[in-house]
Amino acid sequence: MKIIDVRTRYLKLPAVSVCGDNLQDLLIVEVVTDSGLIGIGEVHTNALAARVIIEGAGYHTSSRGLREVILGENPLEIGRLWDRMYSLTQSYGRRGLTI
């Protein structure tokens, strides 16, 4: 099984106010596999910033969007994917690391 797409869906209330309620906007992330399975999660941080981090185009070897980093990978290798996402999105990351 391989990851073939990572989609984001930004949801927000029509009017967002400055208050302690963090449920005024939300980013849903869908990880789509070639077998038809779709994993769904939500982001617990600034939704628009997270969307850029996921969808951002890579511009050199150590700065890439998370979507680009995990496309083609096995979604069941969670620990390896975590390490891969961490190391391949750090401009000061571990050089030469092959994950």
Side-chain angles (χ1 to χ4, degrees):
M1 181 171 24
K2 301 289 180 196
I3 297 170
I4 60 169
D5 197 10
V6 178
R7 301 186 295 228
T8 61
R9 299 180 191 277
Y10 178 64
L11 308 172
K12 72 174 190 128
L13 294 174
V16 176
S17 62
V18 178
C19 69
D21 184 355
N22 63 349
L23 295 176
Q24 298 182 71
D25 70 341
L26 178 68
L27 186 68
I28 303 295
V29 180
E30 299 173 340
V31 177
V32 183
T33 68
D34 60 354
S35 67
L37 292 175
I38 300 174
I40 300 173
E42 64 181 290
V43 174
H44 291 276
T45 189
N46 181 306
L48 292 176
R51 186 177 216 180
V52 170
I53 291 167
I54 293 167
E55 296 178 357
Y59 55 93
H60 55 74
T61 57
S62 63
S63 182
R64 297 160 56 183
L66 293 178
R67 170 191 284 137
E68 180 182 335
V69 168
I70 66 171
L71 284 178
E73 300 292 331
N74 181 345
L76 301 178
E77 297 178 343
I78 297 167
R80 191 180 73 74
L81 288 177
W82 175 263
D83 289 342
R84 183 172 171 80
M85 288 186 288
Y86 180 81
S87 68
L88 294 177
T89 58
Q90 301 296 314
S91 60
Y92 56 86
R94 298 173 277 179
R95 302 287 186 226
L97 180 63
T98 304
I99 298 178

